[in-house]
């Protein structure tokens, strides 16, 4: 890279959780700098948030529309290179489309939009413009997830037969939204979150992780979707049977009412020769089980790992690498890809290893298929895009 990339941010102002995570992740490798922002729909809050981040006042915009138009009029080396969208779901589509229309690459939180139709429109816009869109499915950034994916693609486990993935949280086991909690309020409001709560918020992570590691695609599903907490408008719990394009079957569990759970994302994949399992709350370890050999535990930072795992590790073995580093891997790969393109070079396969608009479309198809299945007596629904 010949220079740092300039990032504009939409959302992520004072008291916002995910905006700070994005800024930390973007900054870890020193490839990206925060250049400007429209940090809130409230212009005063946006200005105050930018001041707290030591931005010049003229780079703290009143709205994302103002920011995108103003930045697009600047010379190439003086304007933002890409925009990061860290707003609730309802405010993803319009700023992403506007940014692409004005020539800016996009990083966006999942789920990508409010509907599958919007996701398809974004995909079409990305294809038309030739610009990059990166979707922050954080968990695909962990080194041991990369190791698991490589082992499956190298046929170490043989033909994949079964996939079990669960994402258990307990933070919404009571009516947190009625107490005015900001994060709970928008996630449980259909106008802000879309047609799904739990499955949109964390079920999409579980589905993406299953497809990412296995290299398979979900083709059918059968869902049991529940609203457990009285008065809640959107699902807070669900169980989904899955079928994959190679004939494998699977189970996906996502819940936010498992009292006492923190952020317990786990995946197990079984093939003809053996199986693997990975736990997000113990992310440095990958467990491999064989039919004809003792169980093995692979650990982050060791020389015996795949090139893919090592390329997404930063520190020696025994030093924990977690959520922020995994998030940063997505930003780094995106930034290296964008820099290569800006310099007229071809990005490597390692650089291109980040979720894209295609993952976003599949995520919205998952949400809509799961909710349709959960509301129907029909046993199996085709996974339609």
């Amino acid at each position: 890279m010949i220079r740092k990339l300039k990032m504009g941010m939409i959302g992520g102002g004072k008291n916002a959780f995910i905006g700070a995570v994005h800024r930390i992740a973007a900054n870890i490798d020193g490839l990206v700098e925060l250049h400007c922002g429209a940090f809130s729909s409230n212009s005063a809050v946006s200005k105050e948030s930018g001041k707290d981040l030591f931005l010049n006042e003229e780079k703290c915009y009143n709205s994302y529309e103002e920011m995108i138009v103003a930045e697009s009029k600047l010379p190439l080396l003086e304007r933002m290179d890409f925009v990061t969208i860290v707003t609730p779901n309802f405010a993803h589509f319009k700023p992403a489309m506007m940014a692409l229309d004005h020539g800016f690459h996009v990083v966006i939180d999942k789920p990508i939009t409010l509907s599958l139709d919007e996701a398809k429109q974004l995909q079409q816009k990305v294809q038309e413009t030739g610009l990059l869109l990166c979707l922050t499915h954080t968990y695909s950034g962990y080194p041991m997830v990369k190791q698991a994916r490589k082992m499956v693609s190298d046929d170490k486990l043989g033909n994949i037969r079964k996939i079990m993935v669960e994402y258990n949280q307990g933070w919404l086991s009571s009516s947190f939204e009625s107490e005015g909690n900001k994060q709970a309020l928008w996630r449980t409001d259909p106008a802000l979150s879309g047609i799904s709560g739990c499955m949109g918020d964390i079920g999409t992570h579980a589905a993406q992780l299953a497809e990412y590691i296995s290299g398979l695609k979900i083709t059918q599903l059968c869902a049991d979707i529940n609203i457990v907490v009285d008065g809640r408008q959107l699902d807070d719990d669900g169980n989904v049977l899955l079928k994959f394009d190679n004939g494998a079957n699977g189970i996906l569990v996502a819940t936010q009412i498992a009292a006492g759970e923190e952020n317990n994302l786990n995946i197990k994949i079984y093939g003809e020769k053996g199986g693997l399992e990975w736990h997000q709350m113990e992310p440095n370890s990958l467990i491999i089980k064989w039919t004809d050999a003792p169980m093995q535990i692979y650990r982050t930072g060791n020389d015996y790992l795949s090139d893919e795992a090592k390329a997404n590790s930063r520190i020696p073995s025994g030093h924990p690498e977690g959520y922020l580093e995994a998030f940063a891997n997505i930003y780094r790969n995106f930034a290296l890809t964008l820099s290569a393109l800006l310099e007229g070079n071809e990005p490597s396969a390692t650089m291109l290893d980040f979720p894209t608009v295609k993952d976003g479309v599949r995520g919205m198809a998952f949400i809509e298929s799961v909710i349709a299945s959960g509301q129907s007596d029909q046993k199996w629904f085709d996974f339609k895009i």
Side-chain angles (χ1 to χ4, degrees):
M1 293 179 65
I2 59 175
R3 64 174 178 84
K4 283 190 175 185
L5 296 175
K6 296 180 174 65
M7 176 177 75
M9 179 167 278
I10 298 174
K14 294 174 73 70
N15 301 318
F17 155 66
I18 202 65
V21 172
H22 276 263
R23 289 190 291 270
I24 293 168
N27 188 58
I28 281 179
D29 292 291
L31 307 178
V32 175
E33 62 184 3
L34 181 63
H35 173 74
C36 60
F39 300 103
S40 172
S41 56
N42 181 312
S43 61
V45 173
S46 180
K47 294 285 188 180
E48 188 177 353
S49 299
K51 182 179 179 181
D52 288 347
L53 294 168
F54 303 100
L55 286 178
N56 292 329
E57 185 175 355
E58 66 270 16
K59 291 298 182 180
C60 304
Y61 293 97
N62 295 305
S63 67
Y64 75 82
E65 294 96 338
E66 179 187 51
M67 181 179 78
I68 291 172
V69 170
E71 291 290 316
S72 69
K73 294 178 180 178
L74 297 174
L76 285 176
L77 294 179
E78 296 178 20
R79 69 180 193 174
M80 63 182 181
D81 294 295
F82 70 95
V83 63
T84 289
I85 301 171
V86 294
T87 56
N89 305 352
F90 81 98
H92 287 182
F93 176 69
K94 288 184 178 179
M97 287 290 281
M98 185 176 181
L100 292 167
D101 274 330
H102 284 75
F104 295 111
H105 306 272
V106 172
V107 175
I108 191 169
D109 261 335
K110 54 99 291 276
I112 194 168
T113 53
L114 272 185
S115 70
L116 178 57
D117 180 65
E118 286 183 347
K120 288 180 177 179
Q121 290 183 57
L122 266 185
Q123 184 177 41
Q124 180 63 36
K125 182 62 66 175
V126 168
Q127 291 170 347
E128 289 173 359
T129 60
L131 298 169
L132 298 177
L133 187 148
C134 171
L135 188 67
T136 53
H137 271 298
T138 316
Y139 305 106
S140 60
Y142 280 94
M144 301 317 290
V145 168
K146 307 290 187 188
Q147 177 68 23
R149 184 174 190 241
K150 178 61 173 173
M151 294 182 77
V152 172
S153 69
D154 284 349
D155 201 34
K156 298 295 186 182
L157 305 183
N159 185 49
I160 300 303
R161 293 170 165 175
K162 193 171 192 71
I163 299 173
M164 303 167 67
V165 59
E166 58 177 352
Y167 201 152
N168 301 315
Q169 293 180 340
W171 75 289
L172 288 177
S173 57
S174 62
S175 185
F176 216 15
E177 62 268 32
S178 65
E179 301 173 14
N181 179 274
K182 183 178 179 181
Q183 298 299 321
L185 276 169
W186 79 258
R187 283 177 169 84
T188 57
D189 184 346
L192 304 180
S193 187
I195 64 172
S196 176
C198 176
M199 282 296 164
D201 192 23
I202 62 175
T204 50
H205 273 311
Q208 192 267 346
L209 190 65
E211 292 194 337
Y212 180 78
I213 294 177
S214 70
L216 303 175
K217 300 298 183 186
I218 299 169
T219 57
Q220 289 184 301
L221 54 80
C222 176
D224 168 40
I225 302 299
N226 307 298
I227 297 176
V228 176
V229 174
D230 290 342
R232 186 161 285 159
Q233 299 182 73
L234 294 174
D235 57 286
D236 50 20
D237 173 79
N239 312 286
V240 189
L241 300 176
L242 305 170
K243 291 187 184 296
F244 293 88
D245 56 1
N246 76 329
N249 68 80
I251 302 170
L252 185 153
V253 175
T255 183
Q256 293 174 313
I257 53 85
E261 291 286 2
E262 295 176 345
N263 200 59
N264 193 7
L265 170 61
N266 309 296
I267 186 166
K268 299 179 181 181
I269 298 180
Y270 299 97
E272 297 170 295
K273 305 174 187 177
L276 62 79
E277 63 181 88
W278 179 78
H279 303 266
Q280 193 272 154
M281 291 178 64
E282 181 57 46
N284 281 19
S285 297
L286 176 67
I287 299 170
I288 310 294
K289 300 176 180 180
W290 305 106
T291 58
D292 57 355
M295 181 179 74
Q296 296 177 314
I297 299 178
Y298 285 57
R299 294 281 292 169
T300 301
N302 284 288
D303 288 339
Y304 56 71
L305 297 177
S306 67
D307 290 341
E308 290 79 0
K310 288 188 284 190
N312 287 277
S313 301
R314 293 178 171 77
I315 48 182
S317 59
H319 298 80
E321 292 193 56
Y323 178 77
L324 292 174
E325 290 87 353
F327 216 118
N329 285 338
I330 292 174
Y331 262 98
R332 181 182 60 188
N333 293 346
F334 166 79
L336 291 173
T337 295
L338 177 51
S339 292
L341 294 174
L342 292 176
E343 295 165 17
N345 299 321
E346 188 72 23
S348 69
T350 300
M351 295 175 185
L352 290 166
D353 184 13
F354 58 86
T356 69
V357 68
K358 292 181 180 179
D359 297 272
V361 170
R362 290 196 65 80
M364 290 312 306
F366 172 79
I367 292 170
E368 294 195 2
S369 297
V370 160
I371 297 303
S373 175
Q375 293 174 344
S376 172
D377 292 331
Q378 180 179 331
K379 184 176 180 181
W380 288 102
F381 268 66
D382 289 337
F383 190 96
K384 295 181 178 178
I385 296 181

